[in-house]
Amino acid sequence: MKKVMKYMMMLLVVATMGLSVQAWGSTDAAMAAPAAVETVADADIDLGESLMNFVDQSGISGIFADWRVLVMLVISCFLLYLAIVKQYEPLLLLPIAFGMLLTNLPGAGMYHTELFEGGHVHWSINGTTFDRVGGLIDFLYLGVKLGIYPCLIFVGVGAMTDFGPLIANPKSLLLGAAAQFGIFATFLGASAMGFTPAEAGSIGIIGGADGPTAIYLTAKLAPQLLGPIAVAAYSYMALVPVIQPPIMKALTTKAERQIVMKQLRTVSKTEKIIFPIAMTMIISLLLPSAAPLIGCLMLGNLMKECGVVERLSKTVQNELMNIVTIFLGISVGATATAANFLNWQTIGIMVLGVTAFCLGTGSGVILAKIMNMFSKEKINPLIGSAGVSAVPMAARVSQKVGQQENPANFLLMHAMGPNVSGVIGSAVAAGILLAFLGQ
């Protein structure tokens, strides 16, 4: 009994102590309640500001801030549609269109126009170095600004080009030269419109339908126009199957489009090896400013034809060419920002560029018709349109249009002669412009 009473007293003491502690804690909690309420209120205010900052920093608010961004996104999606659904040279058009998409996503920060303002690379801006400010595409774009990609592309083009049709039919060199008429005609037109001679030369080179040459020349003469000129040149290259056929049909008769040409003679391996070496020496001695492009083009071709560096030739044709094409396409597309692209100057460049391209296509066809007046062996004028240097796209267009009139007519190899001579012609034209207009 005594033990029970002892335990009861102990429990009573513990209960009393517990109630005292609880009462003391309640008083402290009551005193701390206002402070807790204020803390929660402050947290609500900070959360609201954070949400507002998040909305302001989102890409959606950027679209509402500048409607031109939405226009550029629509244009890039349209180009992606042409590349994927219509398959208009997707190897070129798809990376260009996606680069345009990336650079116009507000807040993405992959390309900064201020680093290349005025056409020059600003290695230091506002006290910060290029490597700290630059995004992914800024670094890729250096290959365009420094003239690296165009020369590497020409090595790959040379390795994939067969100069046999040109060697077998030297007259096709004239057709390739005639197609460069659009370059110089547009140069005069752009000069009359108020562009400086250097800018006019850069705009005119679009008519050669040679993206790497256009980039190379513009980087030397008018770097501030590199973005719109590069986009125009590559866009028109991709749209060769759309632009050329109406011009070809308008300038020829049905009978002319049905002309069947004789099979070309077989070109020996020795001729194919000597050709790139001889062309490099002749053109570079006459026009040193064209040496970088012509030299790279002929180096790639010599790798292909000599047969002793097959591994290098395959690498240049495949891995190197594919990698550079991806980098170049994304970089070129990234220059098409809303501020740089949606202005009257760029619209004028696009109009002059397509004019140059159409003039080049038409002049090649017209020269072929003139040559038929003095030649016993008739030339199908359709191959003259392949004188622009979009290899092998323009040659395939000649083949397609010819077969629509005569399914038994095969013009591809004949069209490759003017087509590859157009590559040489556009590089020579760029060298001439650079020699006369360069500083």
Side-chain angles (χ1 to χ4, degrees), residues 27-50:
T27 303
D28 292 341
M31 294 175 62
V37 171
E38 291 179 2
T39 303
V40 172
D42 291 341
D44 290 339
I45 294 173
D46 293 340
L47 180 60
E49 291 179 354
S50 299

Side-chain angles (χ1 to χ4, degrees), residues 112-259:
H112 300 82
T113 55
E114 62 271 17
L115 294 176
F116 307 99
E117 192 171 355
H120 304 287
V121 180
H122 298 281
W123 299 106
S124 178
I125 184 169
N126 297 328
T128 307
T129 56
F130 186 98
D131 60 319
R132 295 183 66 86
V133 178
L136 172 63
I137 297 180
D138 292 317
F139 289 98
L140 295 181
Y141 190 54
L142 288 175
V144 177
K145 296 292 295 183
L146 301 179
I148 298 172
Y149 295 155
C151 292
L152 292 179
I153 287 286
F154 259 59
V155 175
V157 169
M160 294 189 293
T161 299
D162 182 9
F163 286 109
L166 174 59
I167 300 171
N169 185 18
K171 290 188 296 184
S172 60
L173 186 62
L174 297 175
L175 298 176
Q180 311 313 311
F181 170 77
I183 294 175
F184 297 101
T186 305
F187 165 74
L188 297 176
S191 298
M193 291 178 61
F195 287 96
T196 67
E199 292 173 342
S202 299
I203 294 170
I205 202 66
I206 298 173
D210 188 343
T213 300
I215 290 173
Y216 181 82
L217 181 66
T218 305
K220 300 287 186 180
L221 295 182
Q224 70 276 10
L225 299 182
L226 185 57
I229 287 177
V231 172
Y234 274 97
S235 297
Y236 294 143
M237 283 178 64
L239 295 175
V240 164
V242 178
I243 298 173
Q244 282 197 324
I247 301 172
M248 297 160 66
K249 292 178 181 179
L251 296 177
T252 57
T253 64
K254 185 176 182 66
E256 287 175 329
R257 294 194 293 270
Q258 290 179 335
I259 293 176

Side-chain angles (χ1 to χ4, degrees), residues 298-378:
M298 296 304 168
L299 170 62
N301 186 252
L302 184 61
M303 288 180 178
K304 171 180 177 290
E305 301 296 351
C306 70
V308 297
V309 288
E310 185 176 357
R311 188 173 67 183
L312 297 182
S313 178
K314 289 183 177 179
T315 299
V316 170
Q317 293 180 47
N318 297 288
E319 288 83 1
L320 179 63
M321 188 69 169
N322 292 336
I323 291 171
V324 177
T325 298
I326 294 171
F327 289 171
L328 181 62
I330 294 175
S331 303
V332 166
T335 61
T337 59
N340 293 338
F341 199 78
L342 296 179
N343 56 64
W344 288 112
Q345 185 185 59
T346 299
I347 293 173
I349 290 172
M350 298 294 288
V351 172
L352 288 169
V354 75
T355 302
F357 185 72
C358 292
L359 288 174
T361 299
S363 59
V365 174
I366 292 172
L367 181 61
K369 291 165 68 76
I370 295 173
M371 292 172 65
N372 281 341
M373 298 179 183
F374 305 96
S375 177
K376 294 182 179 179
E377 295 184 3
K378 301 299 181 182

Side-chain angles (χ1 to χ4, degrees), residues 81-127:
Y81 167 79
L82 293 179
I84 298 171
V85 179
K86 297 297 184 180
Q87 298 185 10
Y88 289 158
E89 296 304 324
L91 295 180
L92 286 175
L93 198 55
L94 192 145
I96 290 174
F98 205 81
M100 188 182 297
L101 179 70
L102 289 175
T103 197
N104 285 288
L105 290 173
M110 286 184 281
Y111 177 71
H112 300 82
T113 55
E114 62 271 17
L115 294 176
F116 307 99
E117 192 171 355
H120 304 287
V121 180
H122 298 281
W123 299 106
S124 178
I125 184 169
N126 297 328

